[in-house]
Amino acid sequence: MKINPNDWKPDGDNERTKRVLHEGRKILSPIAIGFKDSFEKNVLEVTYVVLEDLEEDSNDVGIIYSDKFYLTENATWKIGKFAASMGCETPFDPERMEDIISIVREGKVFKATFAEREYNEKTYMSIKYYNFAKASKVTGEQKEILTKALVSAQKMMDKRVEYGDVYHKIKFINSFDEQVQPHGDKNVGGVGENESNESWEELPF
């Protein structure tokens, strides 16, 4: 069998450059909530899209970022800071999907300050500060950003499952809409009758 690599050359228009987050303050809106296993621990994973970049020297609008919250007693401070930044003032169960959806729907956005950190001799971008940001009426441009980000997030989750991530529950959500995205309610990677491993067409983003 022979393969001609010329048959597989990418078209220039289809090449995509990976966008990288920069340090500084951003307005984020959660678009996906997932419960998964990581290193034998239960993890709440919240995925955001940058709706507004508050720094003059960067333009990270539209970039997607996933945040992990380990559901252990020693790590409750992080999910607590996230909830407070979304305006939550009542006790909640971080392992209950309905509670997290309620927090996201009420707050809609928060202000995150990103900073580089080193771990195992590698540099990562992570959220250093979670701060409250009052949600204003979403613009037409931001609606488009949210729509595209939801499609990209769905594809991203699908790829993660394909590569071995175990999600027990995922919800895709646009908190500026009236309803949680109906196609986003699914069980993946767990055990049960409702398991699915659906694929979505990825839109340019």
Side-chain angles (χ1 to χ4, degrees), residues 39-179:
F39 300 105
E40 299 183 353
K41 294 180 181 178
N42 293 327
V43 173
L44 165 65
E45 183 181 83
V46 182
T47 300
Y48 322 109
V49 62
V50 180
L51 281 188
E52 185 179 353
D53 195 333
L54 302 178
E55 304 297 333
E56 294 182 356
D57 57 350
S58 61
N59 182 18
D60 293 345
V61 172
I63 294 181
I64 292 173
Y65 175 82
S66 292
D67 204 4
K68 288 183 179 179
F69 301 91
Y70 286 92
L71 301 178
T72 63
E73 289 294 331
N74 293 333
T76 54
W77 62 270
K78 187 176 179 182
I79 185 65
K81 286 181 178 293
F82 163 73
S85 72
M86 295 292 289
C88 179
E89 296 181 342
T90 58
F92 65 97
D93 184 349
E95 296 180 293
R96 189 169 181 266
M97 177 65 82
E98 291 76 9
D99 285 13
I100 306 302
I101 288 175
S102 178
I103 291 170
V104 169
R105 287 201 103 16
E106 289 297 320
K108 294 181 173 52
V109 297
F110 71 99
K111 182 169 67 176
T113 301
F114 283 90
E116 289 186 347
R117 69 180 181 91
E118 291 188 2
Y119 181 74
N120 286 343
E121 299 182 351
K122 292 184 178 180
T123 302
Y124 301 89
M125 194 67 68
S126 63
I127 297 177
K128 186 175 183 179
Y129 301 115
Y130 297 80
N131 290 301
F132 177 77
K134 186 176 180 179
S136 57
K137 186 176 181 180
V138 67
T139 66
E141 181 181 356
Q142 289 172 332
K143 285 181 180 179
E144 184 177 353
I145 290 169
L146 286 162
T147 299
K148 291 181 178 179
L150 279 164
V151 175
S152 295
Q154 291 164 353
K155 184 66 175 180
M156 179 180 69
M157 296 294 188
D158 195 48
K159 285 293 184 184
R160 287 179 178 175
V161 171
E162 181 181 336
Y163 289 125
D165 279 17
V166 179
Y167 287 88
H168 300 292
K169 191 82 171 179
I170 300 174
K171 284 274 192 180
F172 297 99
I173 181 171
N174 179 347
S175 58
F176 291 92
D177 283 345
E178 293 182 0
Q179 300 294 330

